[in-house]
Amino acid sequence: MKEKQLYRVLRNPHGHWVGDGFPVRTLLSYNSGLDEMQSPFLLLDYAGPYDFLPTEKRLGVGEHPHRGFETVTIVYDGEVEHRDSSGAGGKIGKGDVQWMTAAGGLVHEEFHGREFAQRGGRFEIVQLWVNLPAKDKMNPPGYQGILDSDIPVATLANNQGYVRVIAGEFEGKQGSAHTHTPINMWDMRLNAGAALDVVVPEGHSTVLLVLQGQVQVNRSHTVNEAEVGLFEHEGSTIHVESTTDAKILLLTGEPLNEPVVGHGPFVMNTQQEIRQAMQDYQRGKMGRL
């Protein structure tokens, strides 16, 4: 099997705050000019790790809209409470995943969990925006709250680590998330010295995020903490070696090959659809909390 070649390593040393609860580094964006290489993934924000002091204040980001895509929030440390105008909501903690399908439009808020805020502590999450096909962009919104206990785990041979299969399939384990297009989302823990050939779908966009440690890919390129490796579409394996204990998020997705037109929290296929989204939000058609 042919190896997927590393296309580029992306990093962003400049963080910013989303609200007062999410210290974010944006490592992938739909404004980067890499649509063809990263589709269907629109944005990848890495928040933390950051140590919050105890507080009675609600930390996070208040009411704001989305249309045309899905947000996927993976909690590595801390808690996130979500509420949206479709009536969905809930709290996710360490190891849990929130998969919110904004589709035709909703309004939501995201705050730290109240108990977490009161005790303080380490906070670390990844939020990914996943594009929807044009045919699904105006569907009704949806919500999947996926608990850590519901995520299948594949143990790697020779004590090399394990993989939590959030979406897609890995070594016979089927992920818990429902996706609109073929996507794999693998939360990987590799022990120091692990070396494995990861089989990935031919033609998929492939994104490797290192959250902790350092890995070498295809025996020649190093990806460090808070860096993303973006791969060519051609090829069906990636050789991964961990020089230290490593925490990795590996994503693959079938490219949509459709126009991407985005404006802030709206991602559609045309400028007219963006204008319509803005009008619909202003007129309250996406609901209110």
Side-chain angles (χ1 to χ4, degrees):
M1 290 187 287
K2 182 177 180 178
E3 284 185 342
K4 278 186 183 288
Q5 296 303 304
L6 184 67
Y7 175 73
R8 189 176 295 177
V9 175
L10 305 171
R11 62 186 65 85
N12 183 2
H14 307 294
H16 64 281
W17 284 85
V18 177
D20 57 7
F22 303 101
V24 161
R25 283 168 283 182
T26 298
L27 300 176
L28 274 184
S29 171
Y30 63 77
N31 291 319
S32 67
L34 295 171
D35 294 344
E36 182 180 331
M37 300 303 301
Q38 69 186 50
S39 175
F41 308 115
L42 294 167
L43 177 140
L44 193 157
D45 275 347
Y46 179 29
Y50 189 91
D51 292 311
F52 282 92
L53 296 174
T55 181
E56 293 296 322
K57 185 180 178 183
R58 292 193 77 196
L59 299 177
V61 59
E63 181 175 321
H64 61 283
H66 290 298
R67 173 178 280 181
F69 59 95
E70 306 181 282
T71 67
V72 182
T73 305
I74 304 168
V75 177
Y76 291 91
D77 268 309
E79 293 175 347
V80 176
E81 290 184 355
H82 160 88
R83 185 167 67 101
D84 68 47
S85 56
S86 77
K91 181 175 73 174
I92 54 173
K94 186 171 183 175
D96 300 338
V97 177
Q98 170 192 286
W99 199 297
M100 185 190 79
T101 304
L106 50 65
V107 172
H108 78 144
E109 63 178 21
E110 299 162 287
F111 287 97
H112 291 189
R114 288 171 175 80
E115 293 85 357
F116 170 77
Q118 289 168 0
R119 67 176 180 268
R122 177 61 57 96
F123 187 82
E124 183 181 18
I125 71 167
V126 169
Q127 186 170 95
L128 181 74
W129 290 12
V130 180
N131 205 4
L132 288 169
K135 66 181 180 61
D136 296 328
K137 281 186 175 289
M138 293 301 292
N139 285 353
Y143 179 85
Q144 302 174 72
I146 304 169
L147 298 179
D148 177 36
S149 57
D150 294 330
I151 297 174
V153 177
T155 302
L156 299 172
N158 303 318
N159 193 36
Q160 294 190 102
Y162 65 89
V163 178
R164 297 197 317 142
V165 188
I166 297 170
E169 186 269 338
F170 185 91
E171 294 188 354
K173 302 284 188 179
Q174 194 68 38
S176 305
H178 166 76
T179 67
H180 285 78
T181 56
I183 290 172
N184 292 299
M185 190 172 294
W186 302 328
D187 176 21
M188 309 179 76
R189 302 295 194 283
L190 301 182
N191 297 326
L196 62 155
D197 290 307
V198 183
V199 178
V200 292
E202 175 78 35
H204 271 211
S205 298
T206 303
V207 176
L208 185 151
L209 166 65
V210 177
L211 296 103
Q212 176 185 316
Q214 181 186 75
V215 301
Q216 190 176 69
V217 296
N218 298 343
R219 305 170 187 84
S220 57
H221 299 282
T222 299
V223 185
N224 297 300
E225 286 184 5
E227 292 183 344
V228 159
L230 188 62
F231 291 81
E232 301 278 1
H233 288 167
E234 186 180 356
S236 56
T237 66
I238 299 172
H239 185 76
V240 178
E241 298 181 34
S242 54
T243 54
T244 63
D245 288 349
K247 181 166 64 177
I248 298 167
L249 182 65
L250 185 58
L251 312 168
T252 87
E254 183 176 272
L256 294 180
N257 297 319
E258 295 176 346
V260 174
V261 180
H263 181 82
F266 308 127
V267 182
M268 303 298 289
N269 301 111
T270 69
Q271 287 290 351
Q272 174 55 39
E273 290 172 333
I274 293 293
R275 287 192 290 270
Q276 188 65 55
M278 296 170 69
Q279 291 173 9
D280 287 349
Y281 169 59
Q282 292 163 358
R283 293 168 180 169
K285 292 186 177 180
M286 296 182 189
R288 289 283 185 266
L289 295 181

Coordinates of all heavy atoms in Angstrom, one line a residue, residues 206-235:
T206 N -6.8 14.0 5.1 CA -6.3 13.4 6.3 C -5.5 14.4 7.1 O -4.7 15.1 6.6 CB -5.4 12.2 6.0 OG1 -6.1 11.2 5.2 CG2 -4.9 11.5 7.3
V207 N -5.9 14.6 8.4 CA -5.4 15.6 9.3 C -5.0 14.9 10.6 O -5.7 14.1 11.2 CB -6.5 16.6 9.7 CG1 -6.0 17.6 10.7 CG2 -7.1 17.3 8.4
L208 N -3.7 15.2 11.0 CA -3.2 14.6 12.2 C -2.8 15.7 13.2 O -1.9 16.5 12.9 CB -1.9 13.7 11.9 CG -1.3 12.9 13.0 CD1 -0.6 11.7 12.5 CD2 -0.2 13.8 13.8
L209 N -3.5 15.8 14.3 CA -3.2 16.8 15.3 C -2.5 16.1 16.5 O -3.0 15.1 17.0 CB -4.5 17.4 15.8 CG -4.5 18.2 17.1 CD1 -3.6 19.5 16.9 CD2 -5.9 18.6 17.6
V210 N -1.3 16.7 16.9 CA -0.6 16.2 18.1 C -1.0 17.2 19.2 O -0.7 18.4 19.2 CB 0.9 16.2 17.8 CG1 1.6 15.8 19.1 CG2 1.2 15.2 16.7
L211 N -1.6 16.6 20.2 CA -2.0 17.4 21.4 C -0.9 17.2 22.5 O -0.8 18.1 23.4 CB -3.3 16.9 22.0 CG -4.5 17.1 21.1 CD1 -4.9 15.9 20.4 CD2 -5.6 17.8 21.8
Q212 N -0.2 16.1 22.5 CA 0.8 15.9 23.5 C 1.9 15.0 23.0 O 1.6 14.1 22.3 CB 0.2 15.2 24.8 CG 1.2 14.9 25.9 CD 0.5 14.1 27.0 OE1 -0.6 14.5 27.4 NE2 1.2 13.1 27.5
G213 N 3.2 15.4 23.2 CA 4.3 14.6 22.8 C 4.8 15.0 21.4 O 4.6 16.1 21.0
Q214 N 5.4 14.0 20.8 CA 6.0 14.3 19.4 C 5.9 13.0 18.6 O 6.2 11.9 19.1 CB 7.5 14.7 19.6 CG 8.2 15.0 18.3 CD 9.7 15.3 18.6 OE1 10.5 14.3 18.8 NE2 10.1 16.5 18.6
V215 N 5.6 13.1 17.3 CA 5.5 11.9 16.5 C 6.3 12.2 15.2 O 6.4 13.4 14.8 CB 4.1 11.5 16.2 CG1 3.3 11.2 17.4 CG2 3.4 12.6 15.3
Q216 N 6.8 11.1 14.6 CA 7.4 11.2 13.3 C 6.5 10.5 12.3 O 6.0 9.3 12.6 CB 8.8 10.6 13.3 CG 9.6 10.8 12.1 CD 11.0 10.2 12.1 OE1 11.2 9.0 12.2 NE2 12.0 11.1 12.2
V217 N 6.3 11.1 11.2 CA 5.4 10.4 10.2 C 6.2 10.1 9.0 O 7.1 10.8 8.5 CB 4.2 11.3 9.8 CG1 3.3 11.6 11.0 CG2 4.7 12.6 9.2
N218 N 6.0 8.9 8.5 CA 6.6 8.4 7.2 C 8.1 8.4 7.4 O 8.8 8.6 6.4 CB 6.1 9.1 6.0 CG 4.6 8.9 5.8 OD1 4.0 8.0 6.3 ND2 4.1 9.7 4.9
R219 N 8.6 8.3 8.6 CA 10.1 8.1 8.9 C 10.9 9.4 8.5 O 12.1 9.3 8.5 CB 10.7 6.9 8.2 CG 9.9 5.6 8.5 CD 10.4 4.5 7.6 NE 9.6 3.3 7.8 CZ 8.4 3.1 7.2 NH1 7.9 4.0 6.4 NH2 7.7 2.0 7.4
S220 N 10.2 10.5 8.3 CA 11.0 11.6 7.8 C 10.6 13.0 8.3 O 11.3 13.9 8.2 CB 11.0 11.6 6.2 OG 9.6 11.7 5.8
H221 N 9.3 13.1 8.8 CA 8.8 14.4 9.2 C 8.3 14.4 10.6 O 7.7 13.4 11.0 CB 7.7 14.9 8.3 CG 8.1 15.0 6.8 ND1 8.8 16.1 6.4 CD2 7.9 14.2 5.8 CE1 9.0 15.9 5.1 NE2 8.4 14.8 4.7
T222 N 8.6 15.4 11.4 CA 8.2 15.4 12.8 C 7.0 16.4 12.9 O 7.0 17.5 12.4 CB 9.4 15.9 13.7 OG1 10.5 15.0 13.5 CG2 9.0 16.0 15.1
V223 N 6.0 16.0 13.7 CA 4.9 16.8 14.1 C 4.9 16.9 15.6 O 4.9 15.9 16.3 CB 3.6 16.2 13.6 CG1 2.4 17.2 13.9 CG2 3.6 15.9 12.1
N224 N 5.0 18.2 16.1 CA 5.1 18.5 17.5 C 3.8 18.9 18.1 O 2.8 19.0 17.4 CB 6.1 19.6 17.7 CG 7.5 19.2 17.3 OD1 8.1 18.2 17.8 ND2 8.1 19.9 16.3
E225 N 3.8 19.1 19.4 CA 2.6 19.5 20.1 C 2.0 20.7 19.5 O 2.7 21.7 19.2 CB 2.9 19.8 21.6 CG 3.2 18.5 22.4 CD 3.4 18.8 23.9 OE1 3.3 20.0 24.3 OE2 3.7 17.8 24.6
A226 N 0.6 20.7 19.5 CA -0.2 21.8 18.9 C 0.2 22.1 17.5 O 0.1 23.3 17.0 CB 0.0 23.1 19.8
E227 N 0.6 21.1 16.7 CA 0.8 21.2 15.3 C -0.1 20.2 14.6 O -0.5 19.1 15.1 CB 2.2 20.9 14.9 CG 3.2 22.0 15.4 CD 4.6 21.7 15.0 OE1 4.9 20.6 14.5 OE2 5.4 22.7 15.1
V228 N -0.5 20.5 13.3 CA -1.3 19.7 12.5 C -0.5 19.2 11.3 O 0.1 20.1 10.6 CB -2.6 20.5 12.0 CG1 -3.2 19.8 10.8 CG2 -3.6 20.5 13.2
G229 N -0.5 18.0 11.0 CA 0.0 17.4 9.7 C -1.1 17.2 8.8 O -2.1 16.6 9.1
L230 N -1.1 17.8 7.6 CA -2.1 17.7 6.5 C -1.5 16.9 5.4 O -0.4 17.2 4.9 CB -2.5 19.1 6.1 CG -3.7 19.3 5.1 CD1 -4.9 18.8 5.7 CD2 -3.8 20.7 4.7
F231 N -2.2 15.9 4.9 CA -1.7 14.9 4.0 C -2.3 15.0 2.6 O -3.4 15.5 2.5 CB -1.9 13.5 4.6 CG -1.0 13.2 5.8 CD1 -1.4 13.6 7.0 CD2 0.2 12.5 5.7 CE1 -0.6 13.4 8.2 CE2 1.0 12.2 6.8 CZ 0.6 12.7 8.0
E232 N -1.5 14.5 1.6 CA -2.1 14.4 0.3 C -3.2 13.4 0.3 O -3.3 12.5 1.1 CB -1.0 13.9 -0.6 CG 0.3 14.7 -0.7 CD 0.1 15.9 -1.7 OE1 -1.0 16.0 -2.3 OE2 1.1 16.7 -1.8
H233 N -4.1 13.5 -0.7 CA -5.2 12.6 -0.8 C -4.8 11.2 -1.3 O -5.4 10.2 -0.8 CB -6.3 13.1 -1.8 CG -7.0 14.3 -1.3 ND1 -7.8 15.1 -2.1 CD2 -7.1 14.8 0.0 CE1 -8.3 16.1 -1.3 NE2 -7.9 15.9 -0.1
E234 N -3.8 11.1 -2.1 CA -3.4 9.8 -2.7 C -2.6 9.0 -1.6 O -1.8 9.6 -0.9 CB -2.5 10.1 -3.9 CG -2.1 8.8 -4.6 CD -1.2 9.1 -5.8 OE1 -0.9 10.3 -6.1 OE2 -0.7 8.1 -6.5
G235 N -2.9 7.7 -1.6 CA -2.2 6.8 -0.7 C -3.1 6.3 0.4 O -4.2 6.9 0.6

